[in-house]
Structure formats: structure tokens, C-alpha cells
């Protein structure tokens, strides 16, 4: 998910978005988010390192994947295939990323740490990747890693799904995602935009299995709790390099994409994907989708990273889509949000300042339970 900024280019992920914002002179962190939406928004927790996916656990606490702080180790073309410049080569560390838990009183604790963390080239601004998302199967927590692998400067550890022991604060890899992708190529890869180890983003649990979306290759895969990996759909085969990022399940899978940016940018969409891998356009007209959730009333909430045609601070947005297709703005003015979940209290929780602001990442609470538009 990389590339340089030019007209008509399809981009792989957020590192390109941050590069674009930086090249336009936009600050990576523009202070507190200017929350101008119609639902009440408050800061639930502040002080995270590049927060990504988040989920509530069976204990009622909020668990957050933090991309971490990157690293300085690099590999060379003689070691493995590298991510093309100007994004690559990556530099990484065997440690630096973690999973945190935030209780209802706003107290934070580390669930497990020591996960790999890596970063793009520093100019104009590095993008950090680590643990990308988490999901619960019953009482057991699982995590998906996006910043590991030889092409990310972490040659001894592949991108993997981990089983996390919350009691001992340890994590055990159960599925080698780097090896699976390299052995099962997709139909379409942009030559100048290729991640040999992938850059996994969203993961959910459905009926005892895990499902994950990988944006750069454009695929949704199924991972069993015993570590078996199989492909649900190669999205690139029918939709080209649309960069799918956000994944939800509501009778079928729903997937949103980052799409393109620049002059003549293409809007982002949400597709419905059946468990057998059939894909159909569901809702269109979004921009840089990074999160999808459904509430108890069959309403879909779509989180957008930023407004087009270029990514810019304080332009993130949440839109509600009613079952009849009507759209309503829930909140806007978010600053590079990266993920969203639906809480047991009926409210939305969003990772904000999730890119380019280590130490200033936060979780926002969006009060939709008491919102009457």
C-alpha cells in the first residue's frame, strides 16, 4: 500500500494519505479535534501510540490495538523483496506495539506488548504500523499484526494472527499471514504499490472464526482459531486495486475501501460480500472509508478518514446509513480517525489522531444512544 502522489494514482493505504497531507503543508496533528457533528462527542481516553482497531471485551472493557512507535532496523534486497520507494524501505523493530485495555473509569493497562512495529521512510512523515486490530472469540482475544515481516524490517517475525492470554499478558502466533499471501497471490497488484508481507487492517469474529481484510492485495481471508487460513474473496479480481480497509458482518460481510485521492478522485464505496465470496455494491458516495459497524436497529455507521480530494486534518466523518439508504452525518471534524466500534452502551467509540501523532492518539466516545436528529 504505497506509492507516490500523482494524478489518477490508486494508493495502497494511510502512509500515502499522510504523505499527501504533509506535502500540502497540512499539520499531522492540529490540536484537539474540532467536533462539529450533531451527536455529542467526548474524549474517552488520550495518550495512545497510533491507535488502530478497538473492540469491547466480554468483561465490558475496551481493548485497543496500538500501532506503536516504529523502529530503526532495515533489511536489504538481498534479504527479501522490498517495498518500493519512496515509501520503502521500511525500518522496524521486533517490539514497540501493544494492546491496551481501558476500563469504564478511563483507567488504562497493558494487556500484551512486545509486538513488532515498523515505519515508512521518514520524509515527509513516517507512517507506523503494528497490531492492526483485535477480536474476541468467546472469552479469548486475538490480534492481527500489520507491521512485521522481512519487507518491514522485521525478518525474524512474519505478519501473523496471535492468540492473546490476558491472564499472563502473553501472545502466541497461530497463523502466518506473510507466508499465506506469498503463496496465494491475488489477481491484481499495482506494480509500484506492493507489500510483500501485506498491511492487514480490519479483523472481526463470526461464528467462531476470524475474518480479516488486507488492503494492499485486496482480499478477505478466513482464519480459524487453530490457525488454518483460506480465502473468502479476492476483491482485486472484480474491483481492481480499490484498497479495501474496513470489515463488518451483518448477515453478510460488508467491506469499505480507501479508494483513490487527488484530482478526479473516485468516491469510496461499501460492498456486500456473501460468505461464499459473491460481491455486490451496497452503498456508494463515501471518501476514504476506514471503519464500519452496525447498531441494533440495522443501521450502518461509516467512518471516513478524511474528505477528498486530498486527505486533510480535521475532516474525518461518521455517517449513518438507515436501512432505506438515507444518510445522516453523525459527527465530523475528526482528526485522522482509524477505526470504530459499537459499544454495549449503544454508543460509538473511535480511534482518533490515529496517524502521525504518537502519544496523542485517543479514543472518542460518540453519544448516539441519546442522539435525536
Amino acid at each position: 500500500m504505497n506509492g507516490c502522489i500523482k494524478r489518477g494514482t490508486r494508493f495502497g493505504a494511510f502512509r500515502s494519505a499522510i504523505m499527501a497531507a504533509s506535502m500540502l503543508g497540512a499539520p499531522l496533528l492540529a490540536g484537539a479535534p474540532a467536533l462539529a457533528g450533531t451527536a455529542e462527542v467526548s474524549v474517552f481516553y488520550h495518550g495512545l501510540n497510533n491507535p488502530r482497531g478497538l473492540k469491547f471485551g466480554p468483561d465490558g472493557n475496551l481493548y485497543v490495538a496500538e500501532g506503536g512507535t516504529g523502529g530503526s532496523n532495515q533489511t536489504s534486497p538481498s534479504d527479501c523483496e522490498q517495498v518500493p520507494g519512496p515509501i520503502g524501505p521500511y525500518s522496524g523493530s521486533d517490539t514497540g506495539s501493544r494492546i491496551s485495555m481501558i476500563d469504564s473509569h478511563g483507567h488504562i493497562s497493558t494487556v500484551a506488548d512486545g509486538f513488532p512495529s515498523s515505519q515508512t521512510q521518514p520524509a515527509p512523515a513516517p507512517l507506523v504500523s503494528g497490531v492492526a486490530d483485535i477480536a474476541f472469540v468467546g472469552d479469548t482475544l486475538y490480534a492481527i499484526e500489520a507491521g512485521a515481516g522481512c519487507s518491514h524490517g522485521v525478518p525474524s517475525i512474519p505478519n501473523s494472527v496471535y492468540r492473546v492470554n490476558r491472564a499472563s499478558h502473553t501472545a502466541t502466533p497461530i497463523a502466518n499471514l506473510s507466508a499465506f499471501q506469498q503463496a496465494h497471490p491475488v489477481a491484481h497488484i499495482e506494480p509500484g504499490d506492493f507489500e510483500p508481507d501485506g498491511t492487514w487492517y480490519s479483523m472481526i469474529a463470526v461464528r467462531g472464526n476470524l475474518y480479516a481484510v488486507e488492503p494492499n492485495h485486496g482480499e478477505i481471508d478466513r482464519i480459524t482459531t487453530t490457525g488454518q487460513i483460506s480465502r473468502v474473496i479476492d476483491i482485486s479480481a472484480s474491483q481492481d486495486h480499490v484498497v479495501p480497509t474496513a470489515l463488518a458482518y451483518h448477515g453478510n460481510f460488508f467491506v469499505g475501501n480507501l479508494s483513490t485521492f487527488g484530482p478526479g478522485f473516485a468516491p469510496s464505496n461499501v460492498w456486500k460480500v456473501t460468505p461464499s465470496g459473491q460481491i455486490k455494491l451496497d452503498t456508494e458516495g463515501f471518501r476514504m472509508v476506514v471503519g464500519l459497524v452496525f447498531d441494533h436497529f440495522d443501521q450502518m455507521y461509516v467512518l471516513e478518514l478524511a474528505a477528498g480530494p486530498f486527505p486533510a486534518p480535521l475532516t474525518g466523518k461518521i455517517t449513518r446509513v438507515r436501512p432505506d439508504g438515507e444518510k445522516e452525518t453523525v459527527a465530523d471534524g475528526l482528526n485522522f480517525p482509524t477505526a470504530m466500534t459499537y459499544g454495549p452502551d449503544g454508543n460509538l467509540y473511535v480511534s482518533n489522531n490515529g496517524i502521525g501523532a504518537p502519544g496523542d492518539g485517543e479514543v472518542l466516545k460518540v453519544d448516539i444512544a441519546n442522539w435525536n436528529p
Side-chain angles (χ1 to χ4, degrees):
M1 295 188 301
N2 60 343
C4 55
I5 297 172
K6 57 185 179 181
R7 293 179 183 269
T9 298
R10 295 185 181 272
F11 295 91
F14 307 109
R15 61 176 185 272
S16 299
I18 298 307
M19 287 184 66
S22 301
M23 290 177 179
L24 290 172
L28 294 182
L29 179 63
L35 302 169
T38 55
E40 181 181 350
V41 181
S42 59
V43 176
F44 184 68
Y45 187 84
H46 180 89
L48 303 171
N49 290 319
N50 296 296
R52 298 293 193 266
L54 65 174
K55 302 284 193 327
F56 279 89
D59 55 5
N61 295 316
L62 182 62
Y63 292 75
V64 185
E66 295 184 64
T69 55
S72 58
N73 297 329
Q74 287 191 338
T75 55
S76 69
S78 62
D79 298 315
C80 57
E81 184 176 7
Q82 298 290 301
V83 176
I87 301 303
Y90 271 75
S91 57
S93 170
D94 290 0
T95 61
S97 181
R98 68 184 178 187
I99 301 169
S100 297
M101 184 192 76
I102 306 170
D103 67 20
S104 60
H105 302 291
H107 300 145
I108 192 169
S109 59
T110 298
V111 177
D113 59 9
F115 294 96
S117 182
S118 61
Q119 65 188 50
T120 60
Q121 284 293 301
L127 174 72
V128 175
S129 300
V131 181
D133 204 357
I134 51 179
F136 280 88
V137 177
D139 291 331
T140 304
L141 176 63
Y142 293 85
I144 189 165
E145 171 68 41
C150 184
S151 66
H152 292 155
V154 189
S156 61
I157 306 174
N159 271 339
S160 301
V161 171
Y162 289 82
R163 181 184 296 113
V164 180
N165 187 319
R166 290 183 286 154
S168 63
H169 305 287
T170 58
T172 303
I174 65 166
N176 187 327
L177 299 172
S178 292
F180 178 82
Q181 283 196 307
Q182 291 162 15
H184 300 84
V186 295
H188 182 82
I189 286 286
E190 289 290 308
D193 183 13
F194 179 56
E195 290 272 358
D197 289 286
T199 52
W200 299 85
Y201 200 73
S202 297
M203 182 173 70
I204 59 176
V206 180
R207 296 191 179 96
N209 292 303
L210 301 163
Y211 293 84
V213 62
E214 199 285 318
N216 183 258
H217 297 233
E219 64 192 83
I220 299 174
D221 294 321
R222 174 178 179 262
I223 305 100
T224 70
T225 56
T226 58
Q228 301 300 308
I229 310 172
S230 58
R231 183 152 297 154
V232 175
I233 183 174
D234 174 3
I235 295 173
S236 79
S238 62
Q239 307 300 322
D240 203 352
H241 188 54
V242 295
V243 194
T245 47
L247 187 63
Y249 185 81
H250 192 68
N252 289 285
F253 295 102
F254 290 80
V255 60
N257 72 306
L258 196 70
S259 192
T260 64
F261 55 81
F265 70 92
S268 298
N269 301 315
V270 175
W271 287 270
K272 180 186 294 184
V273 178
T274 67
S276 62
Q278 302 300 308
I279 188 169
K280 179 182 179 181
L281 182 64
D282 182 79
T283 312
E284 55 188 340
F286 300 105
R287 187 66 186 129
M288 302 184 194
V289 176
V290 292
L292 289 176
V293 296
F294 286 84
D295 66 14
H296 297 311
F297 305 101
D298 298 325
Q299 300 177 121
M300 179 172 66
Y301 294 82
V302 181
L303 177 66
E304 298 166 85
L305 173 72
F310 287 99
L314 305 176
T315 60
K317 179 181 178 182
I318 302 172
T319 299
R320 180 164 71 184
V321 183
R322 295 182 179 273
D324 62 4
E326 180 183 352
K327 296 178 181 178
E328 299 170 311
T329 297
V330 176
D332 59 14
L334 307 181
N335 197 59
F336 294 123
T338 50
M340 176 172 62
T341 195
Y342 183 66
D345 58 356
N347 295 308
L348 299 174
Y349 291 78
V350 178
S351 292
N352 195 54
N353 291 341
I355 301 172
D360 281 306
E362 58 191 8
V363 174
L364 302 178
K365 177 183 176 181
V366 183
D367 188 355
I368 59 171
N370 299 303
W371 178 46
N372 296 303

